[in-house]
Amino acid sequence: MDNSAVEEKIEELVIIGSGPAGLTAGIYASRADLHPLLIAGAQYGGQLMLTTEVENFPGFNEGVMGPQLIQNMLDQAKKFGTKFEYKNVTKVELGVISQEEIGKPSLHKVYMGDEEIITKSVIIASGARPRKIDVPGENEFWGKGVSSCATCDGAFYRGKTVAVVGGGDSAMEEANFLTKFASKVYLVHRRNEFRASKIMQDRAAANPKVEFILDTVIKEIKGELTVNGLVLTNVVENTDSEIAVDGLFLAIGYIPETELFKEYIDVSVNGYARPASGKRTMSKIEGVFIAGDVEDDHYRQAVTAAADGCKAALDAEKWLAEHYSH
Ligand code: NAP
């Protein structure tokens, strides 16, 4: 094979994901002249695209709309030369092209359908998606009363009755937040103990608009054009009942987008990507780095994801310099 032809097609860095982690990695890597290729996904931007106002991103003292914040980051990454593909990654093969004979680390393959890209390094910033409860009505009424984002959709429920499902900090936070708008908020949880921190539980319990429904799962979401009720099952008594609600908010955690990568890199029991011990953001595959919500099962903030993207890009830049600049 003609090596020079192959050499030309090798990317320095492919970034997978276009939320704050991926875009910040793009900004840093392109400023470092790595000419990264950022594969943004067919629906780019991640969870911030579903958010309205972001009030806690430093530097925006008046607040900023989620999609606008993404657009700003995207423009900033483009300005410094990040290349964008608005397609989905369908497969990866990490560390599969050996370069042992020339003393270099193995290369990686990233696929967008039939299109194959060969790269020296990868940053996985593929994010996480909200977990669903998987009951009749959930898909039918998604966006028509069923939501995973109280911040985005809470204001539609002014004076109405809603339910939140979950027993963690997110559920408590969403239930409290929703009382700003709704006249009544049921919090439905499958056990009679909460995973949430005590302070968050106490706050929800003290809120007169919040009513806990414990030992209970949602069996069905009912409605006509939009949601109008829930069929509940008490799992201790094994009895069903119905409540009238105008909306249901899911707050039962997130599923990290590691499906494509988990055969290569370490993942936690919950499926979150894990860096190799002592390697900062690098996974156990040389040259493959991890950033943002795909790795973060705790903070999950736009600003922490952005910071992770920065760290991964700095680590990738240093790693590339160490292995390829001589
Ligand atoms: P989480 O702590 O994992 O809690 C998920 C909850 O959903 C659990 O109560 C779980 O029930 C329930 N659940 C899971 N699958 C379910 C299903 N299929 N059907 C019904 N219920 C289901 O997730 P989280 O609340 O999103 O919190 C994630 C992390 O972010 C935590 O570390 C949390 O502390 C942090 N966080 C912090 C704040 C804050 O401090 N302001 C706010 C939000 C989140 P079981 O308990 O029975 O398993």
Side-chain angles (χ1 to χ4, degrees), residues 135-201:
V135 298
E138 185 176 39
N139 291 333
E140 187 185 345
F141 294 112
W142 192 264
K144 297 174 198 155
V146 180
S147 167
S148 62
C149 180
T151 328
C152 321
D153 299 329
F156 299 129
Y157 296 91
R158 211 171 282 278
K160 299 194 169 176
T161 300
V162 297
V164 173
V165 57
D169 283 335
S170 296
M172 300 298 155
E173 192 169 71
E174 304 239 316
N176 270 322
F177 174 78
L178 286 163
T179 62
K180 283 191 187 182
F181 311 102
S183 53
K184 170 100 192 166
V185 178
Y186 293 107
L187 191 144
V188 182
H189 179 41
R190 63 185 178 185
R191 297 188 291 138
N192 68 358
E193 277 177 12
F194 291 116
R195 189 178 291 269
S197 56
K198 185 161 183 321
I199 186 167
M200 302 283 277
Q201 284 183 45

Side-chain angles (χ1 to χ4, degrees), residues 225-302:
L225 288 176
T226 58
V227 169
N228 61 24
L230 301 175
V231 181
L232 305 176
T233 302
N234 182 301
V235 291
V236 174
E237 292 163 3
N238 205 13
T239 51
D240 286 357
S241 61
E242 281 195 37
I243 54 171
V245 296
D246 303 296
L248 172 66
F249 287 84
L250 308 182
I252 59 169
Y254 287 80
I255 302 175
E257 301 281 7
T258 44
E259 202 56 39
L260 293 176
F261 315 105
K262 66 182 187 195
E263 90 178 68
Y264 297 99
I265 64 172
D266 287 332
V267 297
S268 70
V269 284
N270 298 329
Y272 285 85
R274 287 288 166 256
S277 167
K279 296 273 182 153
R280 300 187 194 277
T281 63
M282 193 159 82
S283 73
K284 71 175 182 194
I285 307 265
E286 282 281 311
V288 175
F289 301 82
I290 302 162
D293 282 10
V294 71
E295 187 268 334
D296 181 0
D297 57 4
H298 189 72
Y299 299 103
R300 299 192 286 106
Q301 300 297 301

Side-chain angles (χ1 to χ4, degrees), residues 112-128:
M112 295 177 282
D114 293 341
E115 208 175 326
E116 176 193 284
I117 289 160
I118 297 175
T119 179
K120 293 175 183 170
S121 64
V122 176
I123 293 178
I124 299 171
S126 48

